[in-house]
């Protein structure tokens, strides 16, 4: 047998290694911007075309490179930033692994023009597939001008993994914001397909944050500032009343590097405890500076995760700094989350479920039946259950409608004589001749709205209800970009949304016949879901939109429903094509058939 191991050719090895560093155009944006920052540039321009797929270009006025350095910079592990392993723990630069340019040159066509202040002429280099195809002296301004063209031109499989231009552009803007936010003293601009999206003059941290996130934030921020021997923290935290339903604007920088840290995020959130509701997120932009020797930034190829020598101190410090900032501005807890008295009285809350009770419950017949596998006491929802009118309970007095759900359209008979029982403000118990069903109110409504929204199309647009007091939503540039792409579909579904200044929109009208809701919130959540949607189930944008709207507009667990509302809900549910399941496949109701229930109470002989 011959030996079988071979060394990979350099260009293939480089392409494989590049996978860690360059995943999409935005990764190149991050690396090239960071290189410009490391070169002490004060003026950095980012130019992209085709969401970076055909061009990512960064022009800086930094220190430039000599001819030899320019050649070397594209070699793997070529860096001017560390010389030995000790340096790794004193890093003040953004880069240090010497991989970015080598990776980019392995998977794209690169053009570099660079000149140092002390040199008369600069150098021009063309590289593709890790091979230099052109090198010559050239006239150039001081600094570096580097273009990455046709990313993954030589790795079609990876090119196919790129997302839509809108999605890739969002990633680019995200990376741009992270770098620009860390260095407010540097001028940054971003030009996309010939249009200037950002133009950021040098200024203070606060000015930069407002340039990036929007003017409306200026009155919503409190300053965070603590200095100790161990570390400093500086930045801004949103006042509790400006917390949003989406996670969006939370930025944490350690030694000017944007990092993701669920642990420190938790520290911030805990400082807000009892000031904001559990499902909302405060804005924050925090800059932590500490001795580089007590953090390890070399734990992740793109350096977004780092390790602290002492995590607990970090947690306590961040939490205390935020608490202090919020207290200083005399923002006191405004929401009360204590349980209401009725609930507190309940045994289940009062008396712990102890071992003795557990054993009692386990030995009772019902419990045993319920836990027997394949026992036929639970029947999964039956999609053909259309004869809901079998409900047969006599009339009670109708209650005043609360308008949580729109009542039935004219012309349809409302069967007010059937009472329903709402349980735990979550379920509707509806009795039928041959048993009863337990309907999850929120999921049922989600199904109803889903089918309603689905029925709209270009030809049959939803009716729009004009808003008397149109709400304004201010968006970050990337959210605005995303919203733009969704506008045509939103219009069909009954949303009339108009641009109102840069990155701001007016909600002029909302879908008629759909429960009135906080549409500003709904749109914010919608954008957030789009951004963080798992790519595993690839749904088209319209389907995602409809599902999200149905979910947002649905009555919620916790809403009290009147008899009339429950009736309309049940009636509409069984007029659906698929009443048994939500669009994502969760059962909407459980059916309990009387004969099975009878069986469960039969004496065991
Ligand atoms: P790293 O940043 O980790 O050192 P890179 O591959 O990003 O690795 O860059 C390699 C080297 O090329 C850098 O160490 C730096 O010396 C040089 N370099 C890259 N970009 C620039 C630039 N815009 N201006 C000056 N030097 C640069
Ligand atoms: Mg670098």
């Amino acid at each position: 047998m011959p030996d079988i191991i071979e060394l990979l050719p350099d260009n293939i090895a480089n392409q494989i290694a590049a996978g860690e560093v360059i995943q999409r155009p935005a990764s190149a944006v991050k690396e090239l911007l960071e290189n410009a920052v490391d070169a002490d540039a004060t003026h950095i321009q980012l130019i992209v075309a085709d969401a970076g797929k055909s061009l990512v270009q960064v022009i800086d006025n930094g220190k430039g490179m000599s001819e030899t350095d320019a050649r070397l910079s594209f070699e793997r592990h070529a860096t001017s930033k560390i010389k030995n392993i000790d340096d790794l723990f004193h890093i003040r630069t953004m880069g240090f692994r010497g991989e970015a340019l080598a990776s980019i040159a392995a998977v794209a066509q690169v053009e570099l023009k660079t000149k140092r202040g002390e040199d008369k002429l600069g150098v021009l280099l063309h590289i593709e597939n890790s091979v230099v195809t052109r090198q010559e002296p050239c006239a150039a301004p001081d600094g570096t001008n580097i273009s990455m063209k046709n990313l993954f031109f030589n790795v079609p499989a990876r090119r196919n993994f790129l997302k839509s231009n809108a999605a890739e552009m969002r990633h680019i803007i995200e990376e741009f914001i992270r770098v620009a936010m860390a260095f407010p003293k540097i001028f940054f601009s971003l030009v996309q397909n010939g249009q200037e999206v950002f133009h950021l003059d040098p200024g203070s941290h606060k000015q930069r944050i407002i340039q990036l996130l929007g003017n409306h934030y200026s009155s919503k921020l409190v300053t965070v500032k603590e200095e100790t021997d161990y570390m400093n923290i500086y930045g801004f935290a949103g006042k509790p009343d400006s917390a949003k339903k989406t996670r969006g604007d939370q930025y944490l920088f350690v030694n000017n590097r944007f990092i993701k840290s669920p642990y420190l995020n938790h520290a911030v959130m805990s400082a807000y405890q009892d000031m904001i509701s559990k499902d909302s997120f405060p804005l924050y932009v925090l800059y932590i500076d500490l001795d580089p020797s007590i953090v390890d930034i070399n734990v992740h190829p793109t350096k977004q995760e780092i390790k602290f020598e002492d995590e607990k101190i970090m947690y306590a410090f961040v939490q205390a700094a935020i608490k202090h900032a919020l207290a200083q501005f005399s923002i006191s807890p405004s929401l009360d989350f204590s349980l209401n008295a009725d609930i507190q009285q309940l045994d289940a809350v009062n008396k712990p479920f102890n071992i003795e009770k557990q054993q009692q419950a386990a030995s009772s017949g019902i419990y045993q039946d319920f836990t027997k596998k394949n026992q036929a006491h639970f029947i999964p929802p039956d999609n053909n259950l259309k004869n809901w009118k079998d409900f047969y309970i006599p009339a009670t007095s109708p209650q005043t409608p609360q308008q949580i759900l729109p009542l039935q359209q004219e012309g349809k008979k409302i069967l007010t004589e059937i009472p329903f029982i709402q349980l735990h403000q979550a379920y509707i118990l509806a009795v039928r001749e041959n048993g009863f069903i337990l309907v999850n109110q929120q999921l049922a409504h989600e199904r109803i709205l889903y089918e309603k929204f689905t029925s709209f199309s270009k030809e049959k647009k939803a009716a729009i209800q004009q808003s008397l007091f149109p709400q304004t939503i201010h968006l970050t540039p990337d959210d605005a970009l995303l919203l733009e792409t969704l506008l045509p579909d939103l219009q069909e579904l009954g949303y009339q949304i108009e641009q109102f200044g840069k990155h701001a929109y007016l909600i002029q009208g909302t879908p008629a016949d759909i429960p009135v809701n906080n549409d500003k919130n709904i749109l914010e959540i919608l954008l957030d879901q789009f951004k963080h949607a798992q790519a595993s189930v690839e749904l088209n944008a319209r389907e995602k939109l409809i599902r999200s709207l149905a979910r947002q507009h649905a009555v919620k667990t916790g809403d009290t429903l009147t008899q009339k509302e429950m009736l309309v809900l049940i009636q509409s549910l069984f007029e659906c094509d698929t009443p048994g399941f939500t669009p994502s496949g969760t059962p909407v109701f459980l059916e309990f058939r009387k004969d099975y229930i009878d069986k469960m109470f039969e004496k065991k002989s």
Side-chain angles (χ1 to χ4, degrees):
M1 287 284 273
D3 298 330
I4 51 174
I5 298 180
E6 281 180 53
L7 278 180
L8 287 174
D10 272 357
N11 62 332
I12 296 183
N14 282 343
Q15 278 179 13
I16 293 172
E20 291 214 314
V21 189
I22 306 297
Q23 280 133 17
R24 48 167 30 104
S27 336
V29 165
K30 170 180 189 283
E31 296 296 337
L32 296 179
L33 289 177
E34 289 186 351
N35 278 350
V37 169
D38 284 344
D40 297 328
T42 56
H43 193 279
I44 300 175
Q45 290 167 271
L46 168 63
I47 298 162
V48 299
D50 199 16
K53 292 173 186 170
S54 54
L55 175 72
V56 172
Q57 182 175 19
V58 172
I59 306 173
D60 70 53
N61 65 347
K63 57 181 172 236
M65 284 179 265
S66 70
E67 188 176 344
T68 317
D69 282 352
R71 266 302 278 265
L72 261 180
S73 69
F74 290 96
E75 297 292 327
R76 187 155 301 276
H77 313 303
T79 179
S80 55
K81 298 167 194 173
I82 57 171
K83 303 237 177 295
N84 53 51
I85 197 72
D86 277 352
D87 292 346
L88 205 51
F89 297 95
H90 302 98
I91 284 174
R92 289 275 173 202
T93 52
M94 305 302 289
F96 58 86
R97 294 166 59 115
E99 290 176 322
L101 292 188
S103 297
I104 290 171
V107 291
Q109 296 157 335
V110 179
E111 290 179 27
L112 170 78
K113 235 186 208 185
T114 185
K115 184 178 109 55
R116 300 185 299 181
E118 64 259 45
D119 295 334
K120 273 229 161 57
L121 280 177
V123 56
L124 172 79
L125 274 182
H126 284 196
I127 301 179
E128 62 177 72
N129 250 337
S130 307
V131 179
V132 178
T133 55
R134 192 169 161 192
Q135 176 175 356
E136 60 200 44
C138 72
D142 292 353
T144 299
N145 180 339
I146 183 163
S147 301
M148 177 189 86
K149 293 183 175 168
N150 304 319
L151 179 61
F152 301 139
F153 79 103
N154 52 352
V155 208
R158 295 192 58 197
R159 198 174 169 89
N160 294 339
F161 270 101
L162 294 180
K163 296 264 165 61
S164 68
N165 279 9
E168 294 299 342
M169 197 59 211
R170 281 205 306 282
H171 287 293
I172 289 179
I173 290 178
E174 194 173 76
E175 294 294 352
F176 177 87
I177 288 177
R178 290 170 181 176
V179 179
M181 207 177 255
F183 299 97
K185 298 274 179 294
I186 301 177
F187 167 92
F188 284 93
S189 69
L190 165 55
V191 172
Q192 174 208 357
N193 293 336
Q195 255 194 333
E196 190 171 64
V197 185
F198 286 101
H199 182 103
L200 308 173
D201 286 318
S204 66
H205 278 100
K206 185 163 186 180
Q207 284 166 336
R208 180 57 54 90
I209 292 166
I210 284 164
Q211 283 173 322
L212 288 168
L213 300 184
N215 233 330
H216 57 287
Y217 273 127
S218 54
S219 60
K220 296 179 181 163
L221 302 174
V222 299
T223 305
V224 179
K225 191 171 163 65
E226 302 290 336
E227 294 185 354
T228 68
D229 288 345
Y230 193 72
M231 64 182 114
N232 299 333
I233 186 167
Y234 173 72
F236 301 91
K239 295 179 184 169
D241 59 2
S242 67
K244 289 210 251 172
K245 293 286 173 203
T246 69
R247 191 179 284 281
D249 301 319
Q250 302 186 329
Y251 297 88
L252 185 61
F253 298 89
V254 171
N255 292 348
N256 291 330
R257 189 185 302 283
F258 173 86
I259 60 148
K260 288 185 179 155
S261 167
Y263 186 69
L264 293 186
N265 177 62
H266 192 273
V268 177
M269 296 298 280
S270 70
Y272 277 90
Q273 207 177 16
D274 295 345
M275 291 189 212
I276 59 174
S277 66
K278 291 240 154 52
D279 59 348
S280 59
F281 302 92
L283 154 88
Y284 62 81
V285 181
L286 299 172
Y287 304 90
I288 297 173
D289 286 318
L290 36 66
D291 183 341
S293 66
I294 57 173
V295 287
D296 186 353
I297 44 183
N298 193 27
V299 292
H300 190 264
T302 64
K303 313 178 203 93
Q304 274 195 6
E305 285 158 34
I306 61 178
K307 254 168 108 168
F308 298 102
E309 193 179 77
D310 191 334
E311 286 208 305
K312 292 209 181 84
I313 293 188
M314 296 297 299
Y315 188 98
F317 179 75
V318 169
Q319 185 191 42
I322 304 286
K323 274 191 174 166
H324 188 200
L326 293 175
Q328 249 182 343
F329 288 80
S330 65
I331 296 160
S332 56
S334 57
L335 289 176
D336 184 2
F337 283 101
S338 57
L339 290 173
N340 80 30
D342 292 352
I343 296 178
Q344 271 171 351
Q345 296 304 316
L346 293 175
D347 268 7
V349 176
N350 259 332
K351 301 183 186 156
F353 193 68
N354 56 26
I355 301 226
E356 192 191 328
K357 278 196 194 143
Q358 252 173 43
Q359 282 166 349
Q360 265 174 26
S363 61
S364 80
I366 277 205
Y367 180 86
Q368 284 179 346
D369 268 355
F370 263 108
T371 51
K372 259 184 215 155
K373 270 232 168 92
N374 307 322
Q375 184 83 18
H377 51 259
F378 161 66
I379 314 294
D382 171 3
N383 271 328
N384 299 319
L385 185 69
K386 291 277 186 187
N387 49 340
W388 65 274
K389 292 184 184 93
D390 297 349
F391 302 122
Y392 68 97
I393 300 262
T396 57
S397 58
Q399 299 174 11
T400 25
Q402 290 179 339
Q403 291 295 345
I404 290 181
L405 286 165
L407 293 173
Q408 202 57 4
Q409 301 94 319
E410 272 175 67
K412 269 197 189 155
K413 195 171 166 260
I414 298 181
L415 300 175
T416 39
E417 68 274 16
I418 301 173
F420 299 94
I421 300 168
Q422 195 187 19
L423 299 170
H424 306 294
Q425 289 169 308
Y427 304 103
I428 301 169
L429 182 78
V431 183
R432 308 192 312 145
E433 210 154 6
N434 61 353
F436 61 90
I437 59 171
L438 195 61
V439 180
N440 181 312
Q441 64 187 44
Q442 181 170 336
L443 301 182
H445 200 205
E446 195 179 321
R447 161 53 63 183
I448 295 163
L449 292 175
Y450 172 79
E451 294 202 3
K452 186 172 185 122
F453 278 121
T454 311
S455 72
F456 299 131
S457 64
K458 268 202 185 57
E459 294 73 44
K460 180 183 170 269
K461 291 198 169 103
I464 295 178
Q465 182 172 334
Q466 295 294 327
S467 312
L468 286 180
F469 306 101
Q471 284 181 296
T472 316
I473 30 176
H474 296 274
L475 298 176
T476 55
D478 51 336
D479 282 357
L481 198 79
L482 175 60
L483 182 65
E484 289 287 338
T485 65
L486 299 177
L487 280 183
D489 276 324
L490 279 167
Q491 175 97 33
E492 264 173 47
L493 301 175
Y495 277 95
Q496 190 186 338
I497 298 172
E498 273 151 33
Q499 186 157 17
F500 182 64
K502 209 175 182 184
H503 309 146
Y505 293 81
L506 265 188
I507 309 174
Q508 298 274 24
T510 55
D513 287 342
I514 300 281
V516 183
N517 222 314
N518 185 342
D519 284 282
K520 183 167 177 267
N521 262 354
I522 287 183
L523 287 172
E524 279 173 3
I525 293 172
L526 191 115
L527 293 174
D528 200 55
Q529 286 178 340
F530 259 79
K531 280 195 294 192
H532 299 125
Q534 294 281 297
S536 55
V537 202
E538 278 292 347
L539 301 170
N540 66 36
R542 190 190 159 82
E543 174 75 14
K544 266 199 270 183
L545 196 68
I546 288 176
R547 288 190 183 192
S548 174
L549 285 179
R551 201 171 313 137
Q552 302 313 322
H553 277 287
V555 295
K556 297 288 173 320
T557 296
D559 289 341
T560 304
L561 301 181
T562 62
Q563 282 296 320
K564 231 170 182 179
E565 288 170 329
M566 288 191 270
L567 178 81
V568 172
L569 190 83
I570 301 287
Q571 188 170 26
S572 316
L573 177 65
F574 289 104
E575 281 167 9
C576 284
D577 291 335
T578 316
F581 295 92
T582 64
S584 53
T586 314
V588 167
F589 60 85
L590 305 179
E591 186 188 6
F592 297 84
R593 279 178 46 184
K594 184 163 176 302
D595 44 350
Y596 286 112
I597 299 172
D598 289 345
K599 237 195 187 142
M600 285 175 63
F601 288 104
E602 264 171 24
K603 278 218 183 87
K604 302 264 166 359
S605 49

